Amino acid sequence: MIVLTYYKKIGYACTPLSIPYKTTRSCILKNFSKETLMKCVKENLNDLLHILHWNVEHDIFMFRISSDIIPFGSHSINQIKWWDSFQDELKECGQFIIENGIRVSMHPGQYTVLNSPKEDIVEKSVKDLEYHCRFLDSLEVDYTNKIILHVGGIYNNKELAMQRFIENFSRLSPSAQKRLVIENDDKSYNIEDVLMICNQLNIPAVFDNLHHRINPCPFTWDEIIEKVAKTWKTEDGPVKFHYSDQDEIKKGGAHSKTVNTKNFIEYIKRIGDIEADVMLEVKDKEISALKCIYSLNDEVNISIRTDQWAKYKYCVMEKSNFFYEECSRLINSEEPMSKFYCCIDECLRLPYEEADFKNTVEHIYGYLKYCTTTKEKDKLEDLIEYEIKNTMKIKNELQKLCKKYKIDSLNQSYYFVY
């Protein structure tokens, strides 16, 4: 059992997969209009509040807000004072964040490069960082809520590029300076480089385990944890770490589809008994966040256990009857949830067995056969008969039918995620 003092909060980034909310509505530049932007912002902020409510209901108290929540947030075409127009909505979100002890952050994209040798890029980067800062300031949240940034490029002279970052930092507003933290990356700046910059600027460092695996430094793990922790002052809040696993198929640095439970628990042990929050960088977002939270808690009530099994069971059924029976046994036992999730992880890595996949498809179609049209039924039967190896095509057809006929037990499960 991992004692919960190892961490305070576990979070995920931007857009949840299993609930119907998003904060990334936008438009293309040539179609930009005030009316379109106002509509997008209003809907994005409304969904942000829905996401925050859902997160709190599910014990998730850490969340990365998408940079796209205000379309063209730092672009010159956007001359709208959105912070005034949506003051009430922003304050409502901020108040909910404060009252529920949520920690939020934002992470500008790859084109925000503070150490570029090109002045126009630096100017745009400063504007973009100030936009992110204004958004967090408009929520009226304190300085434990951060903006995460990579150092940038090397530009043939790493020492000069680092110095340029330090100099350009002074171009940021005092509020942006207080919010900015920098993270090690997988190509140019390892955690030793980041710590050097952070110590000069007196700002916090964020340690990313996967980036460190690809772009290491001479420090031991314990030295890294200690040195990173020392960069966080009281007003910055608990230390913030990023966690991800390597995708087993893609090239180095690609995030895995789901968190490996065994690896994550080992990572938490290695952090040690310090107050720290962990942001997951993983493709299945809140699904992995729930997995990690429940894996660290032996006192998960039976309703949560059975609900989690209901969401995963068809993902397991289509891969292996053996694992289906084993997961069912674990969820109804007194074994910790971490064992259940380890079993799920192992099963999801398996290739499809034709018989198990076909059995699952036919089982799921049992929910649909009394409401589908003859044409829909014939199409699905033809897919099963002649294209059974095309698993994604069949699952996409099932998903379309489940959405059309509102089969909530399937739509709210993870069957169409994996």
Side-chain angles (χ1 to χ4, degrees):
M1 169 62 179
I2 305 299
V3 181
L4 291 180
T5 52
Y6 279 110
Y7 77 101
K8 278 193 68 178
K9 301 175 176 74
I10 293 173
Y12 67 97
C14 301
T15 305
L17 295 186
S18 64
I19 57 176
Y21 305 115
K22 63 179 182 178
T23 59
T24 55
R25 296 171 185 84
S26 188
C27 63
I28 59 176
L29 192 60
K30 69 177 183 179
N31 294 336
F32 180 88
S33 68
K34 178 179 178 179
E35 293 72 24
T36 301
L37 181 131
M38 297 291 278
K39 182 176 184 292
C40 288
V41 173
K42 187 173 183 64
E43 292 177 353
N44 285 345
L45 290 175
N46 183 59
D47 272 15
L48 173 60
L49 190 59
H50 280 297
I51 291 168
L52 293 171
H53 274 275
W54 187 92
N55 285 351
V56 168
E57 289 168 5
H58 293 81
D59 300 319
I60 299 173
F61 295 94
M62 191 177 191
F63 183 64
R64 180 185 297 166
I65 299 171
S66 171
S67 296
D68 298 326
I69 193 161
I70 308 294
F72 304 102
S74 61
H75 196 286
S76 59
I77 197 173
N78 185 352
Q79 297 295 315
I80 298 165
K81 294 184 178 180
W82 49 265
W83 53 92
D84 286 336
S85 301
F86 296 97
Q87 184 179 52
D88 292 342
E89 291 88 345
L90 288 160
K91 284 190 175 181
E92 185 178 7
C93 289
Q95 194 62 34
F96 186 81
I97 289 167
I98 294 165
E99 289 176 354
N100 289 277
I102 303 169
R103 192 178 193 185
V104 296
S105 61
M106 300 184 81
H107 197 329
Q110 61 181 323
Y111 300 111
T112 303
V113 186
L114 200 57
N115 76 338
S116 173
K118 297 181 178 180
E119 176 59 22
D120 62 326
I121 293 178
V122 175
E123 287 181 2
K124 289 178 181 178
S125 297
V126 170
K127 286 180 182 178
D128 196 48
L129 288 168
E130 293 297 348
Y131 149 65
H132 286 81
C133 180
R134 183 185 285 276
F135 186 86
L136 293 176
D137 285 353
S138 297
L139 296 176
E140 298 184 357
V141 295
D142 65 22
Y143 288 109
T144 64
N145 301 279
K146 298 296 188 182
I147 300 168
I148 299 94
L149 188 68
H150 292 293
V151 178
I154 291 177
Y155 307 107
N156 299 316
N157 189 326
K158 189 172 185 178
E159 185 177 342
L160 185 60
M162 290 171 68
Q163 185 58 39
R164 197 158 50 240
F165 184 97
I166 292 168
E167 291 171 359
N168 289 338
F169 176 83
S170 64
R171 297 169 65 168
L172 299 175
S173 66
S175 186
Q177 290 181 1
K178 290 178 182 178
R179 292 210 186 273
L180 194 68
V181 299
I182 52 176
E183 171 192 358
N184 58 308
D185 64 62
D186 60 350
K187 294 181 177 66
S188 303
Y189 295 92
N190 62 27
I191 193 63
E192 181 180 19
D193 300 323
V194 166
L195 284 165
M196 192 179 304
I197 295 171
C198 288
N199 287 328
Q200 285 201 50
L201 294 176
N202 195 27
I203 63 173
V206 170
F207 175 62
D208 185 298
N209 69 305
L210 181 58
H211 292 164
H212 175 67
R213 174 180 162 184
I214 298 166
N215 185 20
C217 75
F219 297 149
T220 67
W221 180 274
D222 289 343
E223 287 173 335
I224 290 170
I225 300 303
E226 181 184 3
K227 290 176 184 292
V228 168
K230 284 182 178 178
T231 65
W232 290 80
K233 304 178 292 296
T234 301
E235 56 267 33
D236 295 315
V239 184
K240 189 172 184 289
F241 293 108
H242 286 181
Y243 176 85
S244 56
D245 291 301
Q246 170 65 45
D247 188 294
E248 295 177 357
I249 299 174
K250 297 181 179 180
K251 67 178 183 178
H255 296 147
S256 62
K257 189 157 192 174
T258 188
V259 164
N260 182 298
T261 308
K262 184 178 179 181
N263 291 349
F264 178 76
I265 291 174
E266 182 60 30
Y267 172 83
I268 292 297
K269 289 179 180 177
R270 293 186 72 192
I271 287 176
D273 192 11
I274 64 172
E275 188 179 23
D277 296 336
V278 180
M279 175 61 73
L280 305 177
E281 296 191 316
V282 62
K283 293 176 183 175
D284 66 358
K285 308 291 184 174
E286 80 285 1
I287 299 174
S288 271
L290 292 176
K291 178 200 293 188
C292 292
I293 290 166
Y294 297 147
S295 289
L296 298 178
N297 188 349
D298 274 349
E299 299 180 358
V300 178
N301 67 51
I302 189 62
S303 65
I304 291 176
R305 292 174 72 99
T306 54
D307 178 69
Q308 283 288 283
W309 176 223
K311 292 183 181 299
Y312 278 108
K313 67 179 182 180
Y314 295 119
C315 305
V316 176
M317 181 188 290
E318 70 176 355
K319 292 292 187 74
S320 165
N321 185 62
F322 167 80
F323 277 100
Y324 184 89
E325 292 179 355
E326 179 63 9
C327 287
S328 182
R329 182 191 70 78
L330 286 168
I331 211 68
N332 290 295
S333 72
E334 294 185 0
E335 296 278 10
M337 284 292 281
S338 57
K339 287 193 175 182
F340 166 76
Y341 288 121
C342 285
C343 191
I344 294 285
D345 292 344
E346 191 173 351
C347 181
L348 290 179
R349 287 195 291 268
L350 294 175
Y352 287 104
E353 290 291 339
E354 185 174 310
D356 290 323
F357 178 74
K358 184 176 181 180
N359 175 63
T360 305
V361 170
E362 291 174 342
H363 183 92
I364 288 171
Y365 185 63
Y367 293 97
L368 292 159
K369 62 182 179 181
Y370 296 114
C371 52
T372 48
T373 65
T374 300
K375 184 178 179 181
E376 289 167 339
K377 180 180 179 181
D378 290 345
K379 181 179 181 180
L380 188 60
E381 287 180 349
D382 284 347
L383 287 173
I384 295 170
E385 180 69 24
Y386 302 111
E387 298 189 54
I388 193 63
K389 294 185 184 300
N390 194 337
T391 56
M392 289 311 299
K393 187 173 183 179
I394 293 173
K395 289 183 74 169
N396 287 339
E397 182 65 20
L398 282 173
Q399 184 177 28
K400 183 175 70 174
L401 294 173
C402 285
K403 285 183 176 179
K404 178 179 178 179
Y405 295 108
K406 297 180 172 58
I407 310 299
D408 290 344
S409 59
L410 270 301
N411 293 331
Q412 294 170 9
S413 78
Y414 302 151
Y415 179 65
F416 300 116
V417 174
Y418 300 106

